[in-house]
């Protein structure tokens, strides 16, 4: 993990040589599910502000737009490629057509708050665009709430990066435990879903 982290840091530091453009590209890659944590990219953007490149607001805005660009890429992948795949092969992952249609309706009705909140959470924020695309959430709503949810996240980490200056790497270290915690919650939720599906399937077989 330490070697991987050093690779991420090296990539982020290389991108930072391009200033705003580097931060934009870094956040685009992160939101396109390329595993370069925003917890590294954004504080580095703050470090650039600390060094006199731009200001906190403009750096946060550029980072947000980069994240949006990556999110759109993943949304489109889900929109055009994900739905047929899920409908055809979802049953092998315990996803029935009925469950999928319920998820689609949920994103149509409650997708806004889901996208907004997810953008404020580590790990989840990177991948939420895919299910939104698969469920064919309204693109305008997806765009608006992606930007609204992403900007505060960018602003906080850019600000912290500026305040820490040369010690900007400390932020990622302190958030590592939170990432693992959220990942554990996701794994538990998936396992619970699979177990419930198995129990329901068994009940249907018993009834028949």
């Amino acid at each position: 993990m330490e070697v991987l982290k050093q690779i991420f840091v090296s990539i982020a530091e290389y991108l930072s040589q391009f200033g705003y453009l580097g931060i934009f590209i870094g956040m685009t890659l992160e939101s396109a599910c390329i595993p370069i944590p925003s917890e590294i990219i954004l504080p580095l953007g703050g470090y650039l502000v600390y060094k006199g490149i731009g200001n906190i607001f403009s750096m946060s805005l550029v980072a947000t737009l980069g994240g949006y660009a990556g999110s759109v890429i993943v949304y489109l992948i889900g929109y055009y490629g994900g739905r047929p795949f899920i409908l055809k092969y979802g049953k092998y992952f315990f996803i029935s057509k009925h469950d999928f249609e319920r998820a689609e309706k949920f994103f149509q009705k409650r997708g806004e708050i889901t996208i907004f909140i997810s953008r404020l959470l580590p790990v989840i924020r990177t991948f939420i665009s895919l299910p939104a695309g698969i469920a064919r959430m309204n693109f305008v709503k997806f765009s608006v709430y992606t930007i609204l949810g992403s900007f505060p996240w960018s602003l906080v980490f850019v600000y912290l990066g500026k305040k820490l200056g040369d010690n900007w790497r400390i932020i990622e270290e302190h958030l590592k435990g939170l990432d693992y915690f959220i990942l554990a919650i996701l794994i538990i939720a998936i396992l619970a879903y699979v177990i419930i599906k198995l129990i329901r399937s068994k009940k249907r077989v018993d009834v028949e």
Side-chain angles (χ1 to χ4, degrees):
M1 290 296 291
E2 192 61 32
V3 174
L4 195 60
K5 177 193 166 187
Q6 282 304 122
I7 292 173
F8 292 153
V9 171
S10 298
I11 293 172
E13 289 182 330
Y14 172 75
L15 290 172
S16 73
Q17 296 176 25
F18 300 95
Y20 281 117
L21 178 60
I23 298 301
F24 180 90
I25 293 172
M27 289 301 294
T28 298
L29 294 174
E30 186 260 353
S31 292
C33 300
I34 306 299
I36 306 175
S38 59
E39 293 92 328
I40 292 176
I41 299 168
L42 293 172
L44 182 54
Y47 174 71
L48 294 179
V49 175
Y50 168 77
K51 287 292 187 180
I53 299 177
N55 57 65
I56 292 174
F57 179 83
S58 61
M59 189 65 72
S60 301
L61 181 60
V62 167
T64 298
L65 294 176
Y68 171 67
S71 297
V72 169
I73 293 171
V74 177
Y75 173 91
L76 292 175
I77 290 172
Y79 190 95
Y80 289 107
R83 194 175 194 277
F85 179 86
I86 293 295
L87 288 175
K88 187 173 182 179
Y89 299 106
K91 59 185 178 182
Y92 299 111
F93 302 96
F94 305 101
I95 303 174
S96 66
K97 183 179 179 181
H98 175 69
D99 289 337
F100 179 69
E101 288 174 347
R102 282 202 308 174
E104 280 189 310
K105 290 177 181 177
F106 174 82
F107 259 98
Q108 293 300 329
K109 293 181 179 179
R110 300 285 185 271
E112 302 95 331
I113 190 65
T114 303
I115 291 295
F116 179 79
I117 293 175
S118 296
R119 294 296 173 184
L120 301 172
L121 298 173
V123 182
I124 298 175
R125 66 185 309 279
T126 305
F127 301 100
I128 192 62
S129 302
L130 187 61
I134 291 173
R136 299 195 169 183
M137 178 183 175
N138 179 277
F139 182 72
V140 173
K141 290 182 179 179
F142 169 80
S143 297
V144 169
Y145 285 93
T146 291
I147 292 171
L148 289 178
S150 297
F151 184 75
W153 176 272
S154 299
L155 185 64
V156 167
F157 282 99
V158 169
Y159 173 80
L160 290 175
K162 179 179 183 297
K163 285 298 180 181
L164 286 170
D166 294 316
N167 299 310
W168 61 271
R169 292 183 186 86
I170 293 174
I171 298 174
E172 198 272 338
E173 284 291 335
H174 286 292
L175 283 177
K176 189 187 298 181
L178 182 59
D179 286 351
Y180 290 149
F181 173 75
I182 291 178
L183 184 59
I185 294 296
L186 281 175
I187 292 173
I188 291 171
I190 292 170
L191 287 174
Y193 175 78
V194 170
I195 291 170
I196 291 170
K197 290 293 290 182
L198 287 172
I199 292 172
R200 285 180 177 174
S201 298
K202 188 176 183 304
K203 284 182 178 179
R204 288 195 196 104
V205 172
D206 292 340
V207 169
E208 293 173 358

